[in-house]
Amino acid sequence: MVYKFTKNPEKRTLPRMEAMAKWMKKNLFSTKANTVLSLFLIAGLIKIFTPIFTWLFVDATWIGDAAACREGSGACLAFINEKFTYIIFGPYPREEVWRPALTMFLMFALLWWSKEPSRWSKKLIKWWAGFVILGWILMSGGLGLAPVKSTSWGGLPLTLVLSFVGIFISYPFGIALALGRRSQMPFIKSICVIYIELIRGVPMISLLFMSSVMFPLFLPEGVSIDKLLRAQVAIIMFISAYMAEVVRGGLAAIPKGQYEAADALGLNYFQTMRFIILPQALKIVIPPSVNTAIGMLKDTSLVIIIALFDLLSTTKASLKDPEWLGFSVEGYLFAAFIYFILCFSMGKYARRLEVEFHRGHKNREVQI
Amino acid sequence: MNLFKALCLVLLLISQAAYAGKTFDAIKKRGEIKCGVTTGIPGFSVPDSKGKWTGIDVDVCRAVAAAMFGNPEKVTFVPLSSQQRFTAIQSGEVDLLSRVTTHTLSRDTSLGLNFAPVTYYDGQAFMVRKSDGIKSAKDLNGATVCVQQGTTTELGLADYFRANRMKFKSVVYEANDEVAQAFVKKRCDAFTTDASGLAAERTRFKNPSQYIILPEVISKEPLAPAVRHGDDKWFDIVKWTVYALLEAEEMGMTSSNVDGFKKSKDPNIKRFLGVTKGNGKALGLSETWAYNIVKKVGNYSEIFEKNIGKKTSLKLERGLNALWKDGGIMYAPPLR
């Protein structure tokens, strides 16, 4: 895709169909060999996707019960219909489901609002802080709302809480660890190195296990720490180590001259980092940190092994309903669809940010 | 690995010492029971479309809550994975583990659990196609059998055929879904796993009525609720709650007709329903504990039929799980 900031007026006036024909001629049918290859591939795609389309939409059972689904030959969309609320909200009390729904809506609205870097300000941070407090009250109750324990949280809100809170909190931790690892002070440096290498040396499952299976055994009688909180801490610890390495890559890419220039200006360490190094380094690491974030969003589905009901777990539990056994393909496709939307939009947004931030530095078109 | 085992053992010892306290008092104070269940096994514990937990294991928890508080809804269900379950009960995260757990010697002793009476006798069984005319597992000589790789089921299969001097060819697959698919596509004559699992798989087939589960059960999987060592009073309550479910069925009491029994002259029934006092005091509960169980949850038969019986899609027979007088092995000692 080519991003141009000076829009080509000529290109805009071309009618849609004509533009498409032009594009096809250029990209698909430029030579004889290419034409044959294109036709062959298009035929292949049609051959593959027609049965899938027929199964998913044409032959699908849209409404009805499990028996109607078993009669039909297509996908059982009635299953998704029946289980929709459970898959999305999990065990959250039915009559209170509007609360996580509203929380998610507010979150997406706020994300949409803050996507323009020009709106990034102290005020926006205040908005987000306000949202976190409001979201917490909405989800867990208080101020006249019935209390809902975190054990009843589930589905998409839980996935979002685990991954977004994990990613946002681990980002500053990651920066601190990365700076620590490049520090001249041996004590701080070794602590950071040990932490990063230790955490990166074990799979996330083992951290989750430690937090949910081993950790409670160390606590004195009667003391139990919230299961969700334990998992969240484990996830933050895990992502921090990865973020640290991502940020370190950015720090290493900054030329020595920048440090020297900062020294020459008489800036101290924190000023150098705050005003010179980090703004450049963090810009460089946008792609790898989004990569990590996407990976982590998907990794949160591992909490299934400690029986937290995130999006994938609620899907799995829905598949075990004795009345609706045997519709796993439909269930998993639905979950995959939601994960795809989340990950794809994150990736898309990151590409936009890159372009935006590189505007000052590079005059050529950024080809991505 | 040895180091890991040793560490686990040390942790277990610590945890047992730490939790010699009173579970019963803690539950009374909290006002609800924390009950460990699965993350979803059809008919045993699974959330329905509204998020409400259903299943035999779940109803056992509700029965205990009815006995303790007179209200079956005073339960928090804590879903647990199979790796988590023992730590959860040992560390006090749950008070009662009602999670398709097989009662074995090592779990009863070194894992520090006390098992209440069995709520479901499961065991490995075979499923075949009706059209093949096989009536008994003894007819399976020379058969090809689909089985999941690396399970106790695979070992049980080999043991059974060897013990009966029969030949078989096994077709092994990694995942249970694959095993079921292979059976449907006639890669093998029989499909073996636990009987309840076979019943669950069968509901997913296109024509479930074309398949039958053979009557032989070739391994013992007695599934029972468990509590941790250290509080006998709590253990007694769980134990006698299960017995009360069985006793109620034996006396013919159901949730709908139990009120009629209150006027009965039968001393057994009077004791059971708390008309004659004594049982409740002995357990540290209200005298109507058993009445509450039957009235609010039902007897064993009601729980069985509602969750896995003939009218459900699992269509399981009572078999071993019938009362002793109906040919099963479910038997409650006298409640007096």
Side-chain angles (χ1 to χ4, degrees):
Chain A
M1 200 180 288
V2 177
Y3 283 87
K4 281 187 181 170
F5 289 95
T6 48
K7 294 233 166 73
N8 189 341
E10 191 191 338
K11 206 172 181 182
R12 291 195 78 185
T13 52
L14 266 179
R16 254 231 163 106
M17 290 302 282
E18 214 170 307
M20 216 166 110
K22 218 173 172 183
W23 180 89
M24 274 166 64
K25 190 158 190 190
K26 188 181 161 210
N27 291 296
L28 299 179
F29 307 109
S30 52
T31 64
K32 257 185 196 158
N34 278 354
T35 307
V36 172
L37 206 60
S38 294
L39 288 176
F40 195 71
L41 283 175
I42 288 169
L45 285 177
I46 289 174
K47 189 118 181 113
I48 292 170
F49 282 102
T50 316
I52 294 179
F53 184 80
T54 318
W55 177 79
L56 193 55
F57 296 108
V58 181
D59 288 349
T61 311
W62 292 84
I63 35 173
D65 57 2
C69 274
R70 293 201 175 89
E71 290 290 305
S73 58
C76 180
L77 296 177
F79 170 77
I80 304 296
N81 199 8
E82 165 81 16
K83 294 288 181 187
F84 184 81
T85 320
Y86 188 77
I87 292 179
I88 298 292
F89 297 109
Y92 210 87
R94 267 312 166 90
E95 56 280 12
E96 307 285 345
V97 150
W98 63 271
R99 282 156 52 179
L102 180 64
T103 312
M104 281 200 293
F105 174 76
L106 287 177
M107 190 185 117
F108 286 125
L110 206 49
L111 275 177
W112 186 257
W113 171 256
S114 26
K115 80 188 170 75
E116 302 289 340
S118 59
R119 290 184 185 140
W120 293 1
S121 61
K122 287 226 169 95
K123 204 169 144 201
L124 192 67
I125 296 177
K126 279 181 198 155
W127 274 98
W128 274 102
F131 165 74
V132 169
I133 296 167
L134 184 67
W136 173 258
I137 293 171
L138 273 175
M139 289 295 285
S140 58
L143 297 182
L145 293 170
V148 176
K149 275 183 255 163
S150 72
T151 42
S152 317
W153 297 14
L156 188 56
L158 187 75
T159 296
L160 292 176
V161 164
L162 284 174
S163 49
F164 280 74
V165 171
I167 290 161
F168 280 113
I169 296 191
S170 63
Y171 206 67
F173 276 125
I175 294 173
L177 281 167
L179 291 176
R181 194 171 182 166
R182 286 171 64 84
S183 159
Q184 308 289 329
M185 290 175 268
F187 180 67
I188 290 181
K189 183 173 178 161
S190 50
I191 284 186
C192 291
V193 170
I194 290 171
Y195 177 84
I196 292 171
E197 294 306 329
L198 211 62
I199 299 284
R200 287 203 310 163
V202 293
M204 178 134 124
I205 285 194
S206 56
L207 271 186
L208 287 172
F209 257 130
M210 283 296 281
S211 75
S212 86
V213 179
M214 304 285 268
F215 185 64
L217 293 175
F218 294 109
L219 291 175
E221 184 182 352
V223 179
S224 73
I225 295 178
D226 188 79
K227 198 160 118 182
L228 179 61
L229 183 65
R230 279 181 301 180
Q232 181 73 75
V233 169
I235 289 175
I236 291 173
M237 284 170 65
F238 189 76
I239 311 181
S240 300
Y242 279 82
M243 280 296 183
E245 287 301 276
V246 165
V247 174
R248 193 167 69 97
L251 292 176
I254 305 296
K256 214 176 161 202
Q258 298 285 325
Y259 290 91
E260 284 163 0
D263 283 344
L265 283 173
L267 299 179
N268 65 22
Y269 176 80
F270 292 102
Q271 286 168 329
T272 311
M273 289 303 156
R274 166 77 182 79
F275 297 112
I276 311 289
I277 307 299
L278 281 179
Q280 301 182 69
L282 294 184
K283 213 183 285 177
I284 298 174
V285 299
I286 289 174
S289 42
V290 171
N291 206 18
T292 309
I294 290 177
M296 291 306 152
L297 174 73
K298 291 185 285 184
D299 273 2
T300 54
S301 61
L302 288 174
V303 296
I304 196 165
I305 55 132
I306 57 167
L308 281 176
F309 275 52
D310 77 319
L311 183 62
L312 190 65
S313 316
T314 52
T315 310
K316 278 194 162 169
S318 302
L319 296 173
K320 299 286 175 169
D321 186 338
E323 278 175 45
W324 290 89
L325 284 174
F327 302 111
S328 10
V329 179
E330 290 87 341
Y332 286 129
L333 271 181
F334 180 64
F337 177 66
I338 296 177
Y339 275 110
F340 176 77
I341 291 180
L342 291 174
C343 295
F344 182 73
S345 30
M346 270 162 84
K348 188 110 177 140
Y349 177 58
R351 280 200 298 268
R352 229 203 73 157
L353 274 190
E354 275 167 57
V355 175
E356 200 104 334
F357 284 148
H358 278 101
R359 210 188 316 190
H361 293 269
K362 297 183 182 168
N363 295 324
R364 63 181 176 85
E365 282 174 358
V366 184
Q367 188 110 26
I368 323 161
Chain B
M1 205 56 204
N2 273 330
L3 188 72
F4 180 70
K5 275 183 191 160
L7 189 63
C8 281
L9 199 70
V10 170
L11 288 172
L12 282 184
L13 292 175
I14 296 170
S15 69
Q16 276 169 36
Y19 281 94
K22 284 265 174 250
T23 314
F24 177 85
D25 295 339
I27 297 170
K28 261 270 138 83
K29 213 172 124 197
R30 196 188 312 131
E32 62 176 12
I33 298 167
K34 287 194 280 189
C35 191
V37 294
T38 67
T39 52
I41 289 193
F44 288 87
S45 45
V46 67
D48 69 5
S49 302
K50 296 208 161 55
K52 192 173 153 65
W53 285 92
T54 59
I56 287 193
D57 285 351
V58 166
D59 282 343
V60 168
C61 296
R62 292 210 174 100
V64 178
M68 255 192 93
F69 301 111
N71 180 354
E73 299 309 320
K74 295 268 183 205
V75 191
T76 307
F77 292 103
V78 181
L80 297 169
S81 63
S82 42
Q83 296 92 336
Q84 270 180 314
R85 56 182 164 177
F86 297 123
T87 326
I89 183 80
Q90 285 152 1
S91 68
E93 196 175 327
V94 296
D95 307 310
L96 172 62
L97 188 68
S98 183
R99 194 201 171 284
V100 290
T101 302
T102 306
H103 185 175
T104 65
L105 185 141
S106 61
R107 287 170 179 176
D108 207 335
T109 53
S110 57
L111 276 184
L113 301 183
N114 277 331
F115 282 89
V118 173
T119 49
Y120 185 81
Y121 287 97
D122 208 344
Q124 189 178 346
F126 295 97
M127 178 155 60
V128 294
R129 275 176 285 276
K130 226 177 209 168
S131 53
D132 286 349
I134 300 168
K135 290 276 177 295
S136 147
K138 297 273 192 304
D139 300 340
L140 284 172
N141 196 6
T144 41
V145 184
C146 284
V147 63
Q148 194 181 355
Q149 195 177 30
T151 54
T152 49
T153 318
E154 197 183 357
L155 304 174
L157 171 71
D159 285 352
Y160 179 77
F161 276 79
R162 202 168 299 143
N164 287 290
R165 294 161 184 272
M166 300 194 300
K167 283 202 187 93
F168 76 104
K169 227 171 81 193
S170 65
V171 183
V172 294
Y173 292 91
E174 183 70 44
N176 203 33
D177 284 345
E178 290 176 87
V179 185
Q181 279 309 308
F183 173 63
V184 170
K185 296 202 173 118
K186 304 199 177 176
R187 277 284 289 115
C188 45
D189 306 313
F191 168 21
T192 182
T193 183
D194 286 349
S196 59
L198 285 178
E201 286 298 332
R202 183 169 60 177
T203 64
R204 310 167 57 158
F205 296 168
K206 263 239 149 66
N207 297 303
S209 56
Q210 289 178 6
Y211 303 90
I212 52 166
I213 296 171
L214 298 177
E216 282 87 354
V217 172
I218 64 168
S219 74
K220 292 194 274 188
E221 305 283 349
L223 309 179
V227 298
R228 63 183 159 271
H229 282 172
D231 191 345
D232 291 344
K233 194 175 177 186
W234 170 235
F235 179 43
D236 286 342
I237 290 169
V238 176
K239 182 160 61 180
W240 287 97
T241 299
V242 178
Y243 283 142
L245 291 171
L246 297 173
E247 184 73 7
E249 185 189 353
E250 195 170 338
M251 290 173 171
M253 276 177 217
T254 64
S255 49
S256 47
N257 71 9
V258 63
D259 286 312
F261 280 85
K262 275 191 156 171
K263 294 182 208 81
S264 167
K265 293 276 176 285
D266 185 335
N268 278 325
I269 293 175
K270 283 172 104 171
R271 264 194 299 271
F272 184 82
L273 293 177
V275 179
T276 310
K277 297 195 183 338
N279 282 351
K281 187 163 179 284
L283 284 168
L285 300 173
S286 82
E287 289 296 340
T288 53
W289 68 280
Y291 168 81
N292 288 335
I293 294 175
V294 181
K295 178 74 187 170
K296 290 173 177 154
V297 182
N299 66 26
Y300 182 74
S301 158
E302 283 177 84
I303 293 177
F304 188 100
E305 296 302 337
K306 183 177 78 183
N307 293 308
I308 55 176
K310 283 277 159 219
K311 291 216 176 80
T312 67
S313 55
L314 296 177
K315 295 193 178 52
L316 284 168
E317 301 268 359
R318 283 293 287 271
L320 281 180
N321 297 295
L323 290 182
W324 59 287
K325 57 174 193 176
D326 303 329
I329 54 174
M330 285 292 187
Y331 182 98
L335 276 79
R336 60 187 303 160

